[in-house]
Every structure is written in C-alpha cells, then in structure tokens.
Amino acid sequence: MRPDTPAENVDHTAEAARLERTAGLYPEDTETLLLRAAAHLELSGDRPAATTLYDRLLSSAGGLDDPHLVRALKASNLWEYGHEAEAKAIIEGIRATAPRDPAPWVIVAEALESHDELEAAADTFTEAASLLLPDSAEPSPATHPVLYGRHRVRRMLGLPHDDWDTLADSLHTSPVSLDELHDPKRVWSLGSDNPVELEAEISRLRAELGAYREALSRPFPVAVLHWPAPELAELLSTYPTLTSEYPSHEAHLSTIESSLRELSASGTPNLGIVTGTVPSYEAFAASEATSPDDATLLPQYATTLASRGRAVAWPPQRGAECWCGSTQVYDTCHGS
C-alpha cells in the first residue's frame, strides 16, 4: 500500500495531488487512494498535510473499511513530527479496542519500537499475538509480521526465547536465521551515523538477500508426508476413513522410505520429507474448502508444506539421525 519510491525519482507532492483528484472521481475507492496520497505526503516531508488526509478519512460520513489502520497510520505519522502525546493516546486506544487485523498492531508496535519504547513495543506485539494467533492452527501469512516484530524487539531487550519466538524461527525461511538478522548490533548499525558501519551492514544485507533469492529460485523438494505416531493416532481417530491410507504407523514409515527410494531410482532429484500435524492439516483443508477426510488432499498438503520451506532433505547425511524420529542413526534404522 505504502509507496517506497525514492524522492529523487518521483514528485511525491504531485503524486499525492493526483491521487486526491482521482479519489474525487471514484468515491468507492476513496479510502485506498487517500491512504496512498497520505503516504506520498509523508515521503515528501509534509507530514501535517498527511495528518489532514487521515483526519479527512476518519471524519467521513460513509464509514471506513479499516478505521483502525487509518488511526494507526495517523499515530505513526504524528509521532514523527513531534506530536508524541497525541500519538501515544491513539496507540493506547487501538490497543484497547483490540482490532482483529494484524496491520494496525504492527504499525503501532513499530512506531513504539522506532522511538525506543522497546518494552511497550514488546507488550503490544505480545497482545497482538495473544489475540490473533490460534492455539493450534498454523498462523496465517498476515500474522507473520507480528511474530517477526515481536522476535526482533525481544532480541533487542535481551529476553530469552519463548514458544512464540520458536514459532517465528520455524516460519522464517531465509538462510539467515532470525537471531542473526535481529542481532542488536546489526539493528543498531542500520541507524548508525558512521558511514563505514552503515555501508558494511548494507553489504551484508545485500549478500543475504542474494542468497535468499537464489534459494527461492530453486525448486522446492519433491516431498513425502510423514506423520509422527501421536499425530497419526489423532488423525485416524478423528478421520477414520483415512485408515485405508495408513493401516499402521509402522507401515506408514516403511511406505515413506520405499517411496523415496523408488523416486530416487527413477532419477527424481531434490527429495525431502515434510512432517504433518493435525491442526495444520485441518487448517489447510479449511483453506481448500474441503474436508480433512479427503485422502486426495494429503499430497497437496505435503506439497504446500514443502513450498513453505518445511521439507527436510532425504536421505539424511551419513551419521545423522533417522528421519522417523527414532533417534537411531539413519544407516542402522530405515537406511539399513
């Protein structure tokens, strides 16, 4: 939504004016167009004019699709040109109303973070996580910034990892771990006045971005779905029609190994194993508008997990533990 074109490449003031004129021609798109116009005004440095647009939206008679988002953007903008007290009041109002959309939470938490209110930022991210993240289902992509931002702020505060930090780590697919990416020294260096420090960190980020793009350009593994014994027992007790697919856990493990060996013998490269959980599978079925007892959904679920970076390469390296979770070495377990 928010433009990020450098000021030297576009006249942000003129673009904001154009968007305001367009909003007058298309009333049904007024909210989207004026938010974009306000963003251009912020980039041009005319933050009071941006606040005027936010107030215009908030006072509109027709109502807004996302008033919490507009208030969050207004608070963030106000703080940037000296209206700290008003910004904090709006932020507290947003926290009190507890919107169900992650975007306002992220904006106000990052506003607190950018002004060194790290404890308040961590509390805000945690409130959002408590409200928006279900206990069992896999988090939606829209909630990932909540987890990543919370991880970053807690890392800055030197707090130990908790379950949500671990979840953020599992969702993050970049070759650079979140712990390294959110290293306080690296975060502070991006705001350093020392050009040498800043250039060094930019060079590191460019190298990491290149590695990430290279990883994305590679095809994700051809993955086989693995159910740990407790998950398979829960799956079959809840959806007994899947018993025909999984007559026993032992047979399930044997089928995985034999399937992968057949694929390898046929010349299929880049093989892997993805581990399923019942809540994640149920959430996937819901996203596909179908029932979890539909066996044809299982390979689609495996492919989706693989595309999200959840696959573990097969076969394991020599001396590594077996993929089945037995803690035995693969060569003496399913690799024998």
Side-chain angles (χ1 to χ4, degrees):
M1 179 198 305
R2 301 177 65 78
D4 56 3
T5 308
E8 62 269 19
N9 297 328
V10 66
D11 185 338
H12 287 292
T13 302
E15 183 63 13
R18 184 189 70 79
L19 288 165
E20 284 193 69
R21 292 194 300 272
T22 306
L25 298 174
Y26 301 97
E28 67 277 9
D29 295 324
T30 294
E31 185 173 345
T32 300
L33 292 168
L34 290 187
L35 284 178
R36 291 176 60 191
H40 278 289
L41 289 171
E42 288 186 30
L43 289 170
S44 74
D46 193 352
R47 292 187 175 276
T51 296
T52 299
L53 284 187
Y54 293 135
D55 287 336
R56 175 179 162 186
L57 283 168
L58 291 169
S59 62
S60 59
L64 298 173
D65 293 333
D66 197 344
H68 299 299
L69 175 64
V70 179
R71 291 190 183 95
L73 291 169
K74 177 183 175 181
S76 177
N77 180 56
L78 282 169
W79 205 335
E80 291 300 323
Y81 69 106
H83 295 268
E84 177 182 345
E86 187 178 354
K88 285 186 172 180
I90 296 172
I91 289 172
E92 287 307 309
I94 291 171
R95 293 173 66 177
T97 53
R100 304 295 301 190
D101 176 19
W105 287 103
V106 172
I107 291 168
V108 298
E110 288 183 346
L112 290 163
E113 177 188 359
S114 67
H115 292 277
D116 295 333
E117 301 274 355
L118 296 181
E119 290 83 0
D123 291 342
T124 303
F125 276 124
T126 299
E127 287 175 23
S130 302
L131 178 70
L132 301 174
L133 297 177
D135 294 331
S136 56
E138 184 172 334
S140 67
T143 62
H144 291 185
V146 172
L147 288 167
Y148 298 155
R150 184 178 182 276
H151 184 289
R152 180 180 62 251
V153 173
R154 287 171 55 81
R155 186 84 166 83
M156 296 285 286
L157 290 169
L159 299 175
H161 268 34
D162 60 10
D163 289 343
W164 276 329
D165 290 325
T166 302
L167 178 59
D169 286 330
S170 71
L171 294 171
H172 181 71
T173 58
S174 170
V176 182
S177 69
L178 280 184
D179 273 343
E180 183 179 351
L181 195 63
H182 294 161
D183 184 333
K185 291 181 180 178
R186 299 190 65 177
V187 175
W188 289 122
S189 67
L190 287 173
S192 172
D193 293 330
N194 186 332
V196 175
E197 289 183 1
L198 188 58
E199 288 176 7
E201 185 56 31
I202 290 173
S203 296
R204 283 194 292 270
L205 289 171
R206 282 176 175 165
E208 290 161 6
L209 179 60
Y212 183 47
R213 285 175 173 167
E214 182 181 353
L216 288 177
S217 68
R218 294 193 295 269
F220 55 80
V222 176
V224 176
L225 181 60
H226 165 227
W227 296 98
E231 294 292 336
L232 185 62
E234 181 181 349
L235 179 75
L236 296 181
S237 67
T238 309
Y239 307 103
T241 57
L242 295 178
T243 304
S244 59
E245 296 290 320
Y246 307 112
S248 70
H249 189 249
E250 292 74 14
H252 169 51
L253 298 182
S254 297
T255 300
I256 291 173
E257 182 70 25
S258 61
S259 298
L260 288 167
R261 292 190 182 200
E262 288 176 9
L263 288 167
S264 179
S266 68
T268 304
N270 199 18
L271 298 174
I273 297 174
V274 290
T275 300
T277 66
V278 174
S280 170
Y281 178 59
E282 290 173 333
F284 175 73
S287 70
E288 296 293 315
T290 188
S291 172
D293 59 11
D294 180 1
T296 63
L297 196 65
L298 295 166
Q300 298 176 45
Y301 174 53
T303 300
T304 300
L305 291 179
S307 69
R308 294 175 180 171
R310 303 297 182 83
V312 176
W314 180 94
Q317 295 182 351
R318 181 174 295 276
E321 291 184 0
C322 187
W323 53 263
C324 71
S326 67
T327 71
Q328 298 181 46
V329 175
Y330 172 70
D331 293 340
T332 60
C333 190
H334 281 88
S336 62

